[in-house]
Protein backbone atom coordinates (compact mmCIF):
# COMPACT_ATOMS: atom_id res chain seq x y z
CA UNK A 1 0.00 0.00 0.00
CA UNK A 2 1.47 3.36 -0.99
CA UNK A 3 -0.37 6.56 -0.42
CA UNK A 4 1.14 9.93 -1.15
CA UNK A 5 -0.71 12.99 0.03
CA UNK A 6 -1.12 16.36 -1.61
CA UNK A 7 1.12 17.76 1.11
CA UNK A 8 3.99 15.62 -0.13
CA UNK A 9 4.64 13.41 2.86
CA UNK A 10 4.35 9.67 2.48
CA UNK A 11 1.74 7.96 4.65
CA UNK A 12 3.45 4.67 3.89
CA UNK A 13 6.63 5.98 5.50
CA UNK A 14 4.68 7.33 8.46
CA UNK A 15 2.96 4.00 9.01
CA UNK A 16 6.32 2.24 9.16
CA UNK A 17 7.03 4.17 12.34
CA UNK A 18 4.06 2.51 14.08
CA UNK A 19 4.85 -1.20 14.56
CA UNK A 20 1.37 -1.86 15.95
CA UNK A 21 -0.18 -0.96 12.59
CA UNK A 22 1.46 -4.06 11.09
CA UNK A 23 -0.36 -6.45 13.37
CA UNK A 24 -3.38 -8.53 12.51
CA UNK A 25 -6.66 -8.64 14.41
CA UNK A 26 -8.88 -11.69 14.00
CA UNK A 27 -6.70 -12.80 11.12
CA UNK A 28 -7.03 -9.53 9.22
CA UNK A 29 -4.79 -6.48 8.96
CA UNK A 30 -5.64 -3.97 11.66
CA UNK A 31 -7.56 -0.90 10.52
CA UNK A 32 -7.36 1.38 13.53
CA UNK A 33 -10.03 4.09 13.60
CA UNK A 34 -10.36 4.76 17.33
CA UNK A 35 -7.91 7.63 17.46
CA UNK A 36 -10.38 9.85 19.31
CA UNK A 37 -9.93 7.50 22.26
CA UNK A 38 -6.17 7.25 21.91
CA UNK A 39 -3.67 7.39 19.07
CA UNK A 40 -0.96 4.84 18.47
CA UNK A 41 2.62 5.78 19.24
CA UNK A 42 5.54 6.36 16.89
CA UNK A 43 8.71 4.41 17.62
CA UNK A 44 10.47 7.69 18.38
CA UNK A 45 8.24 8.04 21.45
CA UNK A 46 8.54 4.48 22.71
CA UNK A 47 12.32 4.64 22.16
CA UNK A 48 12.40 7.79 24.29
CA UNK A 49 10.76 5.90 27.17
CA UNK A 50 13.40 3.18 26.97
CA UNK A 51 16.19 5.74 26.69
CA UNK A 52 14.95 7.54 29.79
CA UNK A 53 15.01 4.38 31.90
CA UNK A 54 18.29 3.14 30.45
CA UNK A 55 20.22 6.39 30.71
CA UNK A 56 18.82 9.05 33.06
CA UNK A 57 16.16 7.52 35.31
CA UNK A 58 16.03 9.78 38.35
CA UNK A 59 13.63 11.99 40.25
CA UNK A 60 13.36 15.59 39.10
CA UNK A 61 13.79 18.98 40.78
CA UNK A 62 15.23 17.54 43.98
CA UNK A 63 18.49 15.77 43.43
CA UNK A 64 21.90 17.39 43.50
CA UNK A 65 23.34 14.44 41.64
CA UNK A 66 24.13 14.21 37.93
CA UNK A 67 21.29 11.95 36.79
CA UNK A 68 18.70 14.03 38.57
CA UNK A 69 19.98 17.09 36.77
CA UNK A 70 19.78 15.34 33.40
CA UNK A 71 16.25 14.11 34.11
CA UNK A 72 15.22 17.59 35.28
CA UNK A 73 16.65 19.17 32.13
CA UNK A 74 14.81 16.70 29.90
CA UNK A 75 11.61 17.20 31.90
CA UNK A 76 11.79 20.97 31.60
CA UNK A 77 12.69 20.73 27.93
CA UNK A 78 9.27 19.15 27.29
CA UNK A 79 7.64 22.08 29.08
CA UNK A 80 9.46 24.44 26.79
CA UNK A 81 8.52 22.40 23.70
CA UNK A 82 4.88 22.52 24.79
CA UNK A 83 5.13 26.25 25.34
CA UNK A 84 6.39 26.68 21.81
CA UNK A 85 3.85 24.20 20.43
CA UNK A 86 0.98 26.13 22.05
CA UNK A 87 2.64 29.51 21.56
CA UNK A 88 2.25 30.30 25.27
CA UNK A 89 4.15 33.32 26.49
CA UNK A 90 5.99 31.58 29.35
CA UNK A 91 6.93 27.95 29.91
CA UNK A 92 5.71 28.24 33.52
CA UNK A 93 2.21 28.73 32.14
CA UNK A 94 2.32 25.02 31.20
CA UNK A 95 1.38 22.81 34.15
CA UNK A 96 1.84 19.05 33.91
CA UNK A 97 -1.23 17.06 34.92
CA UNK A 98 -2.52 13.51 34.54
CA UNK A 99 -4.44 14.46 31.41
CA UNK A 100 -7.28 16.60 30.11
CA UNK A 101 -9.72 15.45 32.79
CA UNK A 102 -7.23 16.22 35.52
CA UNK A 103 -6.51 19.63 33.98
CA UNK A 104 -10.22 20.51 33.94
CA UNK A 105 -10.68 19.26 37.49
CA UNK A 106 -7.72 21.36 38.60
CA UNK A 107 -9.42 24.52 37.36
CA UNK A 108 -12.89 23.47 38.51
CA UNK A 109 -11.45 23.04 42.00
CA UNK A 110 -9.18 26.09 42.15
CA UNK A 111 -11.49 28.47 40.30
CA UNK A 112 -14.28 27.77 42.82
CA UNK A 113 -12.72 30.48 45.03
CA UNK A 114 -13.87 33.00 42.43
CA UNK A 115 -17.45 31.72 42.20
CA UNK A 116 -20.20 32.75 44.56
CA UNK A 117 -23.82 31.77 45.13
CA UNK A 118 -25.95 32.84 42.15
CA UNK A 119 -23.02 32.99 39.71
CA UNK A 120 -23.16 31.06 36.47
CA UNK A 121 -20.90 28.65 34.59
CA UNK A 122 -21.59 27.97 30.92
CA UNK A 123 -20.75 24.76 29.05
CA UNK A 124 -21.99 23.42 25.70
CA UNK A 125 -24.20 20.54 24.53
CA UNK A 126 -21.17 19.00 22.84
CA UNK A 127 -19.20 18.36 26.02
CA UNK A 128 -17.54 15.17 27.15
CA UNK A 129 -18.50 14.12 30.69
CA UNK A 130 -15.05 15.36 31.76
CA UNK A 131 -16.13 18.88 30.90
CA UNK A 132 -19.58 18.55 32.49
CA UNK A 133 -19.21 16.72 35.78
CA UNK A 134 -16.42 18.86 37.34
CA UNK A 135 -18.55 21.97 36.72
CA UNK A 136 -21.66 20.32 38.12
CA UNK A 137 -19.67 19.43 41.24
CA UNK A 138 -18.33 22.96 41.52
CA UNK A 139 -21.77 24.53 41.00
CA UNK A 140 -23.29 22.26 43.65
CA UNK A 141 -20.57 23.26 46.10
CA UNK A 142 -20.84 26.99 45.38
CA UNK A 143 -24.61 27.15 44.75
CA UNK A 144 -23.91 28.42 41.26
CA UNK A 145 -25.93 27.62 38.13
CA UNK A 146 -24.75 25.57 35.16
CA UNK A 147 -26.05 26.74 31.79
CA UNK A 148 -25.74 24.94 28.47
CA UNK A 149 -25.21 26.35 24.98
CA UNK A 150 -27.62 24.58 22.60
CA UNK A 151 -26.67 23.28 19.15
CA UNK A 152 -28.48 22.75 15.86
CA UNK A 153 -29.09 19.38 14.23
CA UNK A 154 -25.70 19.54 12.47
CA UNK A 155 -23.91 19.79 15.81
CA UNK A 156 -23.11 23.48 15.36
CA UNK A 157 -23.35 25.55 18.54
CA UNK A 158 -25.98 28.29 18.53
CA UNK A 159 -23.92 31.43 19.08
CA UNK A 160 -26.98 33.66 19.36
CA UNK A 161 -28.26 31.52 22.20
CA UNK A 162 -24.75 31.60 23.70
CA UNK A 163 -24.76 35.40 23.57
CA UNK A 164 -28.08 35.46 25.40
CA UNK A 165 -26.72 33.17 28.13
CA UNK A 166 -23.71 35.41 28.81
CA UNK A 167 -24.10 38.03 31.53
CA UNK A 168 -22.08 39.64 34.33
CA UNK A 169 -23.11 36.60 36.41
CA UNK A 170 -21.09 34.34 34.07
CA UNK A 171 -17.79 33.53 35.76
CA UNK A 172 -16.43 30.89 33.41
CA UNK A 173 -17.26 29.34 30.04
CA UNK A 174 -15.97 25.82 29.30
CA UNK A 175 -16.25 24.08 25.93
CA UNK A 176 -14.27 21.79 23.70
CA UNK A 177 -12.22 22.87 20.70
CA UNK A 178 -13.25 19.75 18.77
CA UNK A 179 -16.15 17.55 19.81
CA UNK A 180 -14.98 14.01 20.56
CA UNK A 181 -18.34 12.57 19.56
CA UNK A 182 -19.06 14.52 16.36
CA UNK A 183 -15.74 16.03 15.27
CA UNK A 184 -17.25 19.52 15.06
CA UNK A 185 -14.66 22.30 15.42
CA UNK A 186 -15.95 25.11 17.60
CA UNK A 187 -15.16 28.80 16.94
CA UNK A 188 -12.92 29.15 19.98
CA UNK A 189 -11.63 32.63 19.24
CA UNK A 190 -15.08 34.13 18.71
CA UNK A 191 -16.60 32.37 21.71
CA UNK A 192 -13.70 33.44 23.92
CA UNK A 193 -14.04 37.06 22.83
CA UNK A 194 -17.76 36.97 23.67
CA UNK A 195 -17.05 35.53 27.14
CA UNK A 196 -14.36 38.09 27.86
CA UNK A 197 -16.75 40.91 27.01
CA UNK A 198 -18.80 40.00 30.10
CA UNK A 199 -15.68 39.41 32.21
CA UNK A 200 -15.87 35.60 32.19
CA UNK A 201 -12.83 33.33 32.02
CA UNK A 202 -12.62 30.64 29.32
CA UNK A 203 -11.44 27.06 29.59
CA UNK A 204 -11.09 25.02 26.41
CA UNK A 205 -10.95 21.23 26.38
CA UNK A 206 -8.30 20.66 23.72
CA UNK A 207 -8.07 16.87 24.01
CA UNK A 208 -9.28 16.30 20.46
CA UNK A 209 -7.75 19.32 18.76
CA UNK A 210 -4.08 18.81 19.58
CA UNK A 211 -3.46 15.92 17.15
CA UNK A 212 -5.19 17.70 14.28
CA UNK A 213 -4.72 21.48 14.43
CA UNK A 214 -2.18 24.15 15.13
CA UNK A 215 -3.29 25.62 18.44
CA UNK A 216 -2.13 29.09 19.39
CA UNK A 217 -3.37 29.92 22.88
CA UNK A 218 -2.34 33.56 22.59
CA UNK A 219 -4.16 34.06 19.32
CA UNK A 220 -7.24 32.29 20.72
CA UNK A 221 -6.82 34.37 23.91
CA UNK A 222 -8.15 31.51 26.08
CA UNK A 223 -7.48 31.60 29.81
CA UNK A 224 -7.06 27.84 30.20
CA UNK A 225 -6.42 25.08 27.68
CA UNK A 226 -6.47 21.41 28.70
CA UNK A 227 -4.66 18.68 26.75
CA UNK A 228 -3.67 15.01 26.93
CA UNK A 229 -0.45 13.48 25.60
CA UNK A 230 -1.92 10.15 24.59
CA UNK A 231 -4.30 11.67 22.06
CA UNK A 232 -1.35 13.33 20.30
CA UNK A 233 0.85 10.26 19.76
CA UNK A 234 2.31 10.51 23.26
CA UNK A 235 2.21 8.35 26.39
CA UNK A 236 -0.87 7.76 28.54
CA UNK A 237 -1.29 9.16 32.03
CA UNK A 238 0.14 12.57 31.28
CA UNK A 239 -1.31 15.85 30.10
CA UNK A 240 -0.98 19.56 30.54
CA UNK A 241 -2.94 22.60 31.51
CA UNK A 242 -2.09 25.90 29.92
CA UNK A 243 -3.13 28.85 32.03
CA UNK A 244 -2.55 32.55 31.67
CA UNK A 245 0.04 33.66 34.21
CA UNK A 246 -2.33 36.19 35.71
CA UNK A 247 -4.93 33.51 36.47
CA UNK A 248 -2.49 30.85 37.63
CA UNK A 249 -0.98 33.27 40.12
CA UNK A 250 -4.41 34.13 41.51
CA UNK A 251 -5.71 30.57 41.82
CA UNK A 252 -4.99 28.50 44.93
CA UNK A 253 -3.17 25.16 44.42
CA UNK A 254 -5.29 22.11 43.68
CA UNK A 255 -3.35 19.61 45.76
CA UNK A 256 -0.76 19.85 48.51
CA UNK A 257 2.54 18.04 48.98
CA UNK A 258 5.98 17.59 47.51
CA UNK A 259 7.59 20.28 45.44
CA UNK A 260 4.59 22.65 45.40
CA UNK A 261 5.70 24.46 48.57
CA UNK A 262 8.06 27.33 49.30
CA UNK A 263 8.17 26.78 53.06
CA UNK A 264 6.23 24.58 55.44
CA UNK A 265 5.87 24.93 59.19
CA UNK A 266 3.17 23.30 61.26
CA UNK A 267 1.52 26.71 61.47
CA UNK A 268 1.67 27.78 57.83
CA UNK A 269 2.66 26.85 54.28
CA UNK A 270 3.69 29.17 51.52
CA UNK A 271 3.50 27.97 47.98
CA UNK A 272 6.14 27.63 45.31
CA UNK A 273 6.11 29.79 42.21
CA UNK A 274 4.59 28.66 38.94
CA UNK A 275 4.50 26.03 37.61
CA UNK A 276 5.42 24.02 40.73
CA UNK A 277 2.52 25.42 42.73
CA UNK A 278 0.24 23.13 40.74
CA UNK A 279 2.54 20.11 40.50
CA UNK A 280 2.30 18.28 43.82
CA UNK A 281 4.08 14.95 44.20
CA UNK A 282 6.47 13.09 41.95
CA UNK A 283 5.31 13.68 38.39
CA UNK A 284 5.00 11.19 35.53
CA UNK A 285 8.63 11.82 34.59
CA UNK A 286 8.90 9.15 31.92
CA UNK A 287 5.67 10.37 30.31
CA UNK A 288 6.68 14.01 30.28
CA UNK A 289 10.11 13.30 28.80
CA UNK A 290 8.80 10.91 26.12
CA UNK A 291 6.01 13.34 25.21
CA UNK A 292 8.70 15.62 23.75
CA UNK A 293 9.50 12.95 21.17
CA UNK A 294 5.85 12.92 20.05
CA UNK A 295 5.80 16.69 19.77
CA UNK A 296 8.99 16.63 17.70
CA UNK A 297 7.52 13.86 15.55
CA UNK A 298 4.36 15.87 14.85
CA UNK A 299 6.34 19.01 14.12
CA UNK A 300 8.54 17.10 11.72
CA UNK A 301 5.50 16.22 9.60
CA UNK A 302 4.16 19.73 10.16
CA UNK A 303 0.81 20.54 11.74
CA UNK A 304 -0.42 22.31 8.62
CA UNK A 305 0.40 19.19 6.59
CA UNK A 306 -1.44 17.01 9.09
CA UNK A 307 -4.50 19.29 8.94
CA UNK A 308 -4.46 19.33 5.13
CA UNK A 309 -4.09 15.57 4.78
CA UNK A 310 -6.79 14.82 7.32
CA UNK A 311 -9.14 17.22 5.52
CA UNK A 312 -8.58 15.05 2.40
CA UNK A 313 -9.49 11.96 4.41
CA UNK A 314 -12.59 13.72 5.75
CA UNK A 315 -13.80 14.66 2.27
CA UNK A 316 -13.04 11.21 0.88
CA UNK A 317 -14.69 9.41 3.81
CA UNK A 318 -17.80 11.59 3.81
CA UNK A 319 -18.33 10.77 0.15
CA UNK A 320 -17.53 7.08 0.55
CA UNK A 321 -19.79 6.56 3.56
CA UNK A 322 -22.70 8.31 1.82
CA UNK A 323 -22.90 5.25 -0.48
CA UNK A 324 -23.70 2.94 2.48
CA UNK A 325 -27.39 2.15 2.57
CA UNK A 326 -29.22 3.46 5.65
CA UNK A 327 -26.19 5.27 7.05
CA UNK A 328 -26.94 8.43 8.97
CA UNK A 329 -24.03 10.72 9.69
CA UNK A 330 -24.05 12.95 12.79
CA UNK A 331 -22.01 16.12 13.04
CA UNK A 332 -22.38 17.61 9.58
CA UNK A 333 -21.37 21.18 10.35
CA UNK A 334 -18.99 22.89 7.93
CA UNK A 335 -16.01 22.95 10.33
CA UNK A 336 -15.00 19.48 11.40
CA UNK A 337 -12.11 17.09 11.81
CA UNK A 338 -11.66 13.67 10.19
CA UNK A 339 -14.18 11.88 12.35
CA UNK A 340 -17.29 10.01 11.24
CA UNK A 341 -20.02 9.48 13.80
CA UNK A 342 -22.89 7.49 12.35
CA UNK A 343 -25.61 4.91 12.78
CA UNK A 344 -27.13 2.41 10.40
CA UNK A 345 -30.90 2.56 10.22
CA UNK A 346 -32.51 -0.14 12.37
CA UNK A 347 -29.22 -1.49 13.73
CA UNK A 348 -27.65 -1.13 17.16
CA UNK A 349 -24.18 0.48 17.12
CA UNK A 350 -22.77 -2.30 19.33
CA UNK A 351 -23.78 -4.97 16.84
CA UNK A 352 -22.13 -3.12 13.97
CA UNK A 353 -19.00 -2.40 16.03
CA UNK A 354 -18.67 -6.01 17.15
CA UNK A 355 -18.80 -7.34 13.60
CA UNK A 356 -16.44 -4.65 12.31
CA UNK A 357 -13.99 -5.80 14.98
CA UNK A 358 -14.27 -9.33 13.62
CA UNK A 359 -13.12 -7.89 10.31
CA UNK A 360 -10.14 -6.17 11.93
CA UNK A 361 -11.63 -2.68 11.99
CA UNK A 362 -11.37 -0.87 15.32
CA UNK A 363 -14.09 1.74 15.81
CA UNK A 364 -15.70 3.08 18.95
CA UNK A 365 -19.37 2.49 19.67
CA UNK A 366 -21.59 3.87 22.40
CA UNK A 367 -22.24 7.26 23.90
CA UNK A 368 -18.57 8.35 23.82
CA UNK A 369 -18.93 9.78 27.35
CA UNK A 370 -21.31 12.39 25.97
CA UNK A 371 -24.65 11.13 27.21
CA UNK A 372 -26.39 14.55 27.19
CA UNK A 373 -25.33 14.98 23.54
CA UNK A 374 -26.67 11.53 22.66
CA UNK A 375 -29.95 12.46 24.37
CA UNK A 376 -30.04 15.62 22.26
CA UNK A 377 -29.55 13.52 19.11
CA UNK A 378 -32.08 11.00 20.48
CA UNK A 379 -29.82 7.99 19.91
CA UNK A 380 -28.39 5.43 22.42
CA UNK A 381 -24.99 5.90 20.86
CA UNK A 382 -23.18 6.04 17.55
CA UNK A 383 -20.45 4.23 15.66
CA UNK A 384 -17.40 6.48 15.59
CA UNK A 385 -14.52 6.16 13.16
CA UNK A 386 -11.96 8.78 14.20
CA UNK A 387 -8.91 9.11 11.98
CA UNK A 388 -5.29 10.10 12.49
CA UNK A 389 -2.48 11.09 10.16
CA UNK A 390 -1.51 7.43 9.60
CA UNK A 391 -4.93 6.45 8.26
CA UNK A 392 -5.44 6.06 4.52
CA UNK A 393 -8.15 6.28 1.88
CA UNK A 394 -7.66 2.56 1.36
CA UNK A 395 -8.64 1.98 4.99
CA UNK A 396 -11.77 4.07 4.49
CA UNK A 397 -12.61 1.82 1.54
CA UNK A 398 -12.10 -1.19 3.82
CA UNK A 399 -14.49 0.33 6.37
CA UNK A 400 -17.14 0.85 3.68
CA UNK A 401 -16.67 -2.69 2.34
CA UNK A 402 -16.93 -4.10 5.87
CA UNK A 403 -20.12 -2.14 6.53
CA UNK A 404 -21.60 -3.44 3.29
CA UNK A 405 -20.80 -6.96 4.47
CA UNK A 406 -22.11 -6.73 8.05
CA UNK A 407 -25.29 -4.75 7.43
CA UNK A 408 -27.10 -7.57 5.56
CA UNK A 409 -26.03 -10.00 8.31
CA UNK A 410 -27.72 -7.89 10.96
CA UNK A 411 -30.89 -7.12 9.02
CA UNK B 1 -38.53 -33.36 31.86
CA UNK B 2 -36.02 -30.99 30.27
CA UNK B 3 -32.49 -32.00 29.35
CA UNK B 4 -29.81 -31.26 31.92
CA UNK B 5 -27.72 -28.12 31.66
CA UNK B 6 -24.66 -30.26 30.93
CA UNK B 7 -26.35 -31.97 27.98
CA UNK B 8 -27.59 -28.69 26.54
CA UNK B 9 -24.12 -27.19 26.98
CA UNK B 10 -22.61 -30.07 25.02
CA UNK B 11 -25.15 -29.58 22.26
CA UNK B 12 -24.26 -25.90 22.04
CA UNK B 13 -20.54 -26.70 21.86
CA UNK B 14 -21.22 -29.23 19.06
CA UNK B 15 -23.27 -26.69 17.12
CA UNK B 16 -20.53 -24.08 17.32
CA UNK B 17 -17.91 -26.65 16.30
CA UNK B 18 -19.60 -26.82 12.91
CA UNK B 19 -18.49 -23.30 12.12
CA UNK B 20 -14.89 -22.63 11.20
CA UNK B 21 -15.08 -18.89 10.80
CA UNK B 22 -16.11 -16.52 13.58
CA UNK B 23 -18.22 -14.49 11.18
CA UNK B 24 -20.28 -17.66 10.64
CA UNK B 25 -20.57 -18.10 14.40
CA UNK B 26 -21.80 -14.54 14.69
CA UNK B 27 -24.27 -15.21 11.89
CA UNK B 28 -25.62 -18.10 13.96
CA UNK B 29 -25.75 -16.01 17.15
CA UNK B 30 -27.64 -13.30 15.24
CA UNK B 31 -30.16 -15.87 13.95
CA UNK B 32 -30.67 -17.10 17.54
CA UNK B 33 -31.28 -13.52 18.58
CA UNK B 34 -33.89 -13.07 15.91
CA UNK B 35 -35.71 -16.19 17.11
CA UNK B 36 -35.63 -15.42 20.83
CA UNK B 37 -39.14 -15.12 22.28
CA UNK B 38 -39.41 -11.62 23.63
CA UNK B 39 -40.02 -10.62 27.19
CA UNK B 40 -43.54 -9.35 27.94
CA UNK B 41 -43.65 -5.58 27.51
CA UNK B 42 -44.75 -5.20 31.15
CA UNK B 43 -41.40 -6.65 32.26
CA UNK B 44 -39.33 -4.40 29.98
CA UNK B 45 -38.74 -1.94 32.79
CA UNK B 46 -35.67 -0.38 34.34
CA UNK B 47 -35.88 -2.72 37.35
CA UNK B 48 -35.24 -5.66 35.02
CA UNK B 49 -32.24 -4.10 33.28
CA UNK B 50 -28.98 -5.96 33.86
CA UNK B 51 -26.17 -3.81 35.11
CA UNK B 52 -22.91 -4.08 33.21
CA UNK B 53 -24.32 -4.45 29.72
CA UNK B 54 -23.37 -1.73 27.23
CA UNK B 55 -26.48 -2.54 25.25
CA UNK B 56 -29.72 -2.73 27.20
CA UNK B 57 -30.74 -6.17 28.45
CA UNK B 58 -33.99 -6.92 30.22
CA UNK B 59 -34.27 -10.20 32.09
CA UNK B 60 -37.39 -11.56 33.76
CA UNK B 61 -37.65 -14.74 35.82
CA UNK B 62 -40.63 -16.71 37.09
CA UNK B 63 -40.79 -19.77 39.30
CA UNK B 64 -43.15 -22.43 37.94
CA UNK B 65 -43.52 -26.08 38.99
CA UNK B 66 -40.16 -26.14 40.72
CA UNK B 67 -38.25 -24.65 37.78
CA UNK B 68 -37.09 -21.16 36.82
CA UNK B 69 -38.45 -19.73 33.56
CA UNK B 70 -36.41 -16.94 32.02
CA UNK B 71 -37.45 -14.49 29.31
CA UNK B 72 -35.34 -11.61 28.05
CA UNK B 73 -34.78 -9.00 25.40
CA UNK B 74 -32.07 -6.63 24.26
CA UNK B 75 -31.87 -3.68 21.90
CA UNK B 76 -28.77 -5.26 20.30
CA UNK B 77 -29.23 -8.40 18.21
CA UNK B 78 -25.89 -10.06 19.04
CA UNK B 79 -26.54 -9.58 22.74
CA UNK B 80 -29.97 -11.07 22.17
CA UNK B 81 -28.41 -14.12 20.53
CA UNK B 82 -26.10 -14.60 23.49
CA UNK B 83 -29.05 -14.34 25.87
CA UNK B 84 -30.85 -16.92 23.76
CA UNK B 85 -28.00 -19.34 24.45
CA UNK B 86 -28.13 -18.64 28.17
CA UNK B 87 -31.89 -19.07 28.27
CA UNK B 88 -31.64 -22.31 26.33
CA UNK B 89 -29.19 -23.65 28.91
CA UNK B 90 -30.79 -22.35 32.09
CA UNK B 91 -34.50 -21.75 31.54
CA UNK B 92 -36.75 -24.56 32.78
CA UNK B 93 -34.08 -25.84 35.16
CA UNK B 94 -34.29 -26.32 38.92
CA UNK B 95 -32.83 -23.49 41.01
CA UNK B 96 -30.08 -25.65 42.51
CA UNK B 97 -29.01 -26.84 39.05
CA UNK B 98 -28.78 -23.24 37.85
CA UNK B 99 -26.81 -22.20 40.91
CA UNK B 100 -24.34 -25.07 40.44
CA UNK B 101 -24.05 -24.83 36.65
CA UNK B 102 -20.46 -24.17 35.58
CA UNK B 103 -21.42 -23.08 32.02
CA UNK B 104 -18.11 -24.16 30.54
CA UNK B 105 -19.63 -23.89 27.07
CA UNK B 106 -19.18 -20.11 27.23
CA UNK B 107 -15.42 -20.60 27.27
CA UNK B 108 -15.46 -23.70 25.06
CA UNK B 109 -17.15 -21.99 22.13
CA UNK B 110 -14.78 -19.04 22.56
CA UNK B 111 -17.58 -16.62 23.23
CA UNK B 112 -15.83 -14.82 26.05
CA UNK B 113 -12.56 -14.26 24.21
CA UNK B 114 -14.39 -13.05 21.13
CA UNK B 115 -16.44 -10.52 23.01
CA UNK B 116 -15.05 -7.09 23.74
CA UNK B 117 -14.43 -6.56 27.46
CA UNK B 118 -17.61 -4.53 27.77
CA UNK B 119 -19.64 -7.32 26.21
CA UNK B 120 -17.83 -9.97 28.25
CA UNK B 121 -18.66 -8.00 31.40
CA UNK B 122 -22.28 -7.92 30.26
CA UNK B 123 -22.23 -11.68 29.76
CA UNK B 124 -20.80 -12.20 33.25
CA UNK B 125 -23.48 -9.88 34.68
CA UNK B 126 -26.16 -11.80 32.81
CA UNK B 127 -25.03 -15.17 34.22
CA UNK B 128 -24.73 -13.66 37.68
CA UNK B 129 -28.24 -12.26 37.49
CA UNK B 130 -29.71 -15.57 36.32
CA UNK B 131 -28.01 -17.38 39.20
CA UNK B 132 -29.16 -14.69 41.58
CA UNK B 133 -32.79 -15.28 40.56
CA UNK B 134 -32.32 -19.03 41.07
CA UNK B 135 -30.88 -18.40 44.52
CA UNK B 136 -33.79 -16.13 45.42
CA UNK B 137 -36.35 -18.75 44.32
CA UNK B 138 -34.48 -21.49 46.15
CA UNK B 139 -34.40 -19.55 49.40
CA UNK B 140 -38.14 -18.83 49.06
CA UNK B 141 -38.96 -22.51 48.83
CA UNK B 142 -36.50 -23.64 51.50
Amino acid sequence: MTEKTSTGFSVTEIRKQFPVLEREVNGRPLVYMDNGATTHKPKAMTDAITAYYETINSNVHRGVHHLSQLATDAFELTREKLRAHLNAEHSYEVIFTKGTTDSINTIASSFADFVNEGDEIIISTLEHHSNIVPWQMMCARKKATLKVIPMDDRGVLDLEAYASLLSPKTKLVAFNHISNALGIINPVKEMTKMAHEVGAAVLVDGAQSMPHLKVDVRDLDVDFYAISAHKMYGPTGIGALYGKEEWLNKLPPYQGGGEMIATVTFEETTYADLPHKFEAGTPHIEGVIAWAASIDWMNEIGLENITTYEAELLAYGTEALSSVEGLQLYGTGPEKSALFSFNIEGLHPYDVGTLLDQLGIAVRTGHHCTQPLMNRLDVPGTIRASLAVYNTKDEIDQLVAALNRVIPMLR
Amino acid sequence: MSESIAVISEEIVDEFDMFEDWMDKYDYIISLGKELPLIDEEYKVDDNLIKGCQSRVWLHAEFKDGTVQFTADSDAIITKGIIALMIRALSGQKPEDIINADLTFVDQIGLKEHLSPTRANGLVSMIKQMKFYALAFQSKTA
Side-chain angles (χ1 to χ4, degrees), chain A residues 18-303:
Chain A
F18 292 80
V20 72
L21 295 178
E22 288 166 22
R23 68 164 294 164
E24 291 192 339
V25 169
N26 296 320
R28 293 177 168 85
L30 168 68
V31 174
Y32 186 79
M33 295 186 169
D34 193 18
N35 297 288
T38 196
T39 55
H40 283 303
K41 319 304 173 193
K43 212 164 171 312
M45 193 288 276
T46 53
D47 284 349
I49 292 175
T50 306
Y52 162 71
Y53 281 117
E54 289 183 352
T55 60
I56 58 170
N57 174 46
S58 215
N59 212 329
V60 292
H61 296 139
R62 292 166 179 78
V64 291
H65 59 85
H66 184 64
L67 287 192
S68 176
Q69 192 54 53
L70 292 178
T72 303
D73 289 348
F75 186 90
E76 290 303 324
L77 182 63
T78 303
R79 201 190 303 274
E80 171 52 27
K81 281 180 192 280
L82 273 169
R83 182 210 65 73
H85 201 75
L86 292 163
N87 194 30
E89 194 170 355
H90 309 289
S91 62
Y92 53 75
E93 291 175 315
V94 176
I95 310 293
F96 288 116
T97 64
K98 288 186 285 182
T100 305
T101 304
D102 192 39
S103 296
I104 296 171
N105 274 280
T106 297
I107 296 305
S109 172
S110 297
F111 197 87
D113 278 14
F114 294 83
V115 176
N116 296 308
E117 186 171 347
D119 284 343
E120 293 172 356
I121 304 290
I122 295 177
I123 59 172
S124 92
T125 308
L126 289 166
E127 299 317 306
H128 187 280
H129 296 164
S130 295
N131 206 19
I132 300 173
V133 183
W135 307 113
Q136 282 177 334
M137 291 163 71
M138 188 242 257
C139 285
R141 205 163 78 237
K142 304 300 294 191
K143 294 186 176 143
T145 305
L146 191 66
K147 298 208 159 178
V148 183
I149 309 164
M151 66 175 209
D152 67 18
D153 291 340
R154 300 168 305 160
V156 177
L157 293 180
D158 180 343
L159 293 194
E160 274 184 33
Y162 171 50
S164 69
L165 292 176
L166 288 165
S167 79
K169 285 197 276 185
T170 312
K171 294 300 166 214
L172 186 138
V173 181
F175 55 92
N176 56 39
H177 197 155
I178 297 183
S179 151
N180 75 305
L182 301 183
I184 294 293
I185 302 173
N186 288 316
V188 174
K189 196 170 175 176
E190 188 181 353
M191 289 175 72
T192 300
K193 189 168 178 283
M194 290 165 74
H196 285 168
E197 280 166 6
V198 297
V202 171
L203 177 142
V204 172
D205 167 356
Q208 299 295 332
S209 49
M210 292 302 284
H212 307 295
L213 301 176
K214 170 71 189 149
V215 173
D216 182 331
V217 290
R218 272 192 282 179
D219 178 54
L220 297 172
D221 197 28
V222 294
D223 299 287
F224 307 105
Y225 202 89
I227 63 179
S228 280
H230 74 101
K231 298 200 199 279
M232 49 187 292
Y233 311 98
T236 56
I238 184 78
L241 167 68
Y242 158 78
K244 275 185 186 164
E245 178 182 13
E246 183 192 349
W247 267 117
L248 293 179
N249 276 330
K250 275 196 283 189
L251 297 178
Y254 174 46
Q255 294 175 320
E259 196 65 10
M260 52 75 73
I261 55 95
T263 59
V264 176
T265 66
F266 284 118
E267 288 73 37
E268 191 191 30
T269 294
T270 56
Y271 303 122
D273 291 335
L274 294 174
H276 306 294
K277 183 173 101 174
F278 289 98
E279 293 180 353
T282 296
H284 186 353
I285 303 167
E286 156 212 316
V288 168
I289 291 173
W291 191 1
S294 310
I295 297 165
D296 289 343
W297 180 85
M298 286 180 71
N299 287 336
E300 213 168 288
I301 300 171
L303 276 160

Side-chain angles (χ1 to χ4, degrees), chain A residues 283-340:
Chain A
H284 186 353
I285 303 167
E286 156 212 316
V288 168
I289 291 173
W291 191 1
S294 310
I295 297 165
D296 289 343
W297 180 85
M298 286 180 71
N299 287 336
E300 213 168 288
I301 300 171
L303 276 160
E304 289 78 9
N305 290 335
I306 291 173
T307 306
T308 304
Y309 173 57
E310 290 180 355
E312 269 179 45
L313 292 179
L314 173 67
Y316 186 84
T318 306
E319 175 74 24
L321 286 170
S322 70
S323 70
V324 177
E325 196 201 330
L327 185 142
Q328 185 181 356
L329 195 61
Y330 303 99
T332 52
E335 300 294 326
K336 68 176 282 193
S337 65
L339 183 154
F340 308 101

Side-chain angles (χ1 to χ4, degrees), chain A residues 348 350-351 354 358 410-411, chain B residues 34 54 76-78 114 119:
Chain A
H348 197 288
Y350 289 110
D351 288 327
T354 300
Q358 286 303 310
L410 291 164
R411 287 219 189 277
Chain B
K34 287 176 181 168
Q54 288 286 316
I77 194 75
I78 293 173
H114 261 266
R119 277 186 182 277

